[in-house]
Amino acid sequence: MIAIIDFGSQFTQLIARRVRELGYYSIIYPYFVKPEEIQNADAIILSGGPRSVISSDHPALSGEIWKMQVPILGICYGFQLMALEEGGEVQPCEIREFGKASFTTCAKSILWKEIPQESIVWMSHADQVTASPPSFEVIGSSGNAPVAAFQNIKRMRYGIQFHPEVVHTDFGKQVLYNFLHFIVKAKQDWDLTSWIDQEVQAIRDKVQNRKVICAISGGVDSSVAALLVHRAVGANLHCFFVDHGLMRLNEPEEVETMLRQLNLPLTVIHAEKDFLKALKGMTDPEEKRKVIGKQFIKLFEKEAKKAKADILVQGTLYPDVIESSGGISGIAAKIKSHHNVGGLPDTMKLDLLEPLKYLFKDEVRLIGKQLHLSDRFIQRHPFPGPGLGIRIIGEITPERLQLLKEADFIVREVMKQQDKEQKIWQGFAVLLPIQSVGVMGDERTYQNVLAVRMVQSVDGMTANWYPMPHAWLEKLSTRITNEVKGINRVVYDITSKPPATIEWE
């Protein structure tokens, strides 16, 4: 077992996910874990984090953990914490490093096996190690961090300033493999099949003979969650699909048809008027998300009472948990509320069951295949629970909603025609709260501006904007401005995540 210690990083679960990808079993623990809880660990990986190790109240590890006779790898904050613990120095950066950076190995290390001397890594730090601990050897540097990696081979202590867990680090997965395979000598005996069996049993243990309802949207997340729970509890599960009026053009009918094919007990609830009424006049994105979450729960509590159920299943994924809450240790920065995490009311009367909440989208897709879910579900682009409600910047009105539905339909059509190799992770339109001057038929117009966003990603934690060919961008813009009355300008979002999020709100 590989123990991953969380210091509040947005990427902690990504470390665990990379470790699992490599075939090793891992568990995430908070930084205040007791030593006896991880006494059977074969190795420890220390995550990054948002705090500064220089501050007087910085999160720290128990001294007994540092004394454990197992390999330890410190990443970013964990690297700096190891430096301080072992007698090194950490100071604020003169020039901070956020994003891609050039990295150079400057000494031999098993960590660098099969890795070139020069490579690109992903940095995210405002402090830096200015002096390595006395018994440690510096083994890597970057342009703004002369001490960007060190090691103490005898004591099996290794530290790196960059993030090997993100896809932007060229050889990050190789670094983790080298640590786990050559230094830890761990067994590669982890796979998703064993995860399914374990999770089904865990669901049975929690639910027992109670009744369960499931919020299902037709997306891969909620569909996989429903199939897992159905495998565990059978007839004690009932699924509900809510048409809240914020779905894409023709989508409610398409989703209902798809869901019927899963042979799950299903009820469709039409609640468009209730959601739009509750959202009337709202412009703040956090408030919109929370109102949508409350409306969902209000409906589910009503249906749960009818079904005599007291458990609600949701297809929450780990990126939702990370952005909405404080992660494992409770200190990760909150980015935005997700209606099924941070948007839930405190007074909710249902117990939550979220079997996928420590998984990433691509892992869920793999599980979906093992559960024999069709590609129609598995390959669907992510669609947020609040739907178009968070793709209309500003107030949601029936008129603006219809405008976005028509434009988004064209975006999806053009994207499908162009993206034959399925390189686009997610693509959609965003209606902006501004208007601009235009000219149509020799007449002045003053109409809405539409933003189009398409990104490539593996897990949703990071994403690159998709370089749509100019000819297709022109086709997209021409069709929208010609076919959607009320839009006279189209812009293309070329911002990656980070610094932006994938959705605008």
Side-chain angles (χ1 to χ4, degrees), residues 222-232 237 262 264 368 371-373:
S222 59
S223 300
V224 168
L227 288 173
L228 273 173
V229 176
H230 189 253
R231 179 176 286 195
L237 171 71
L262 295 180
L264 296 169
L371 294 174
H372 308 296
L373 195 63

Side-chain angles (χ1 to χ4, degrees), residues 29 40 46 51 58 80 87 89 107 109 160 170 253 255 307 330 336 340 381 441 472 493 495:
Y29 297 91
N40 294 324
L46 310 178
R51 303 282 180 84
H58 69 271
Q80 296 171 8
E89 295 180 5
S109 173
I160 50 179
D170 287 347
E253 298 79 10
V255 168
K336 58 188 176 185
N340 54 343
H381 282 194
W472 287 93
D493 184 348
T495 317

Side-chain angles (χ1 to χ4, degrees), residues 487-503:
I487 294 175
N488 69 353
R489 190 178 298 269
V490 177
V491 298
Y492 193 62
D493 184 348
I494 59 167
T495 317
S496 294
K497 175 185 180 178
T501 55
I502 294 176
E503 295 287 346

Side-chain angles (χ1 to χ4, degrees), residues 5 64 148 179 202-204 219 226 245 291 306 323 491 501:
I5 308 297
E64 293 302 310
F179 176 71
I203 293 168
R204 286 189 185 127
V291 164
K306 292 180 188 176
E323 291 186 340
V491 298
T501 55

Side-chain angles (χ1 to χ4, degrees), residues 455-499:
V455 298
Q456 296 172 304
S457 182
V458 174
D459 43 50
M461 291 299 293
T462 60
N464 291 323
W465 63 275
Y466 176 71
M468 176 71 88
H470 290 184
W472 287 93
L473 285 174
E474 183 178 17
K475 181 178 182 179
L476 191 63
S477 176
T478 300
R479 280 199 60 186
I480 291 171
T481 52
N482 283 348
E483 298 175 31
V484 183
K485 293 181 181 179
I487 294 175
N488 69 353
R489 190 178 298 269
V490 177
V491 298
Y492 193 62
D493 184 348
I494 59 167
T495 317
S496 294
K497 175 185 180 178

Side-chain angles (χ1 to χ4, degrees), residues 130-186:
T130 52
S132 68
S135 58
F136 282 64
E137 175 188 18
V138 178
I139 58 173
S141 63
S142 67
N144 295 319
V147 182
F150 55 45
Q151 67 181 6
N152 183 316
I153 297 173
K154 185 177 180 180
R155 294 182 52 223
M156 298 181 293
R157 298 291 184 263
Y158 298 82
I160 50 179
Q161 182 62 72
F162 61 87
H163 288 269
E165 67 273 26
V166 303
V167 295
H168 304 296
T169 295
D170 287 347
F171 297 92
K173 203 168 177 180
Q174 184 67 42
V175 171
L176 290 173
Y177 174 77
N178 290 342
F179 176 71
L180 296 167
H181 184 75
F182 295 108
I183 297 169
V184 182
K185 295 180 173 56

Side-chain angles (χ1 to χ4, degrees), residues 357-407:
K357 71 177 182 178
Y358 294 127
L359 299 180
F360 290 87
K361 178 74 73 173
D362 57 324
E363 290 180 309
V364 173
R365 285 176 170 149
L366 290 172
I367 291 169
K369 286 185 178 181
Q370 295 200 28
L371 294 174
H372 308 296
L373 195 63
S374 71
D375 284 345
R376 196 175 178 190
F377 286 91
I378 291 171
Q379 298 304 330
R380 287 190 82 204
H381 282 194
F383 187 63
L388 300 181
I390 57 168
R391 292 179 181 173
I392 294 176
I393 312 300
E395 185 178 2
I396 301 167
T397 65
E399 296 76 20
R400 298 189 78 206
L401 190 55
Q402 185 60 32
L403 205 63
L404 180 57
K405 285 183 178 182
E406 293 176 15

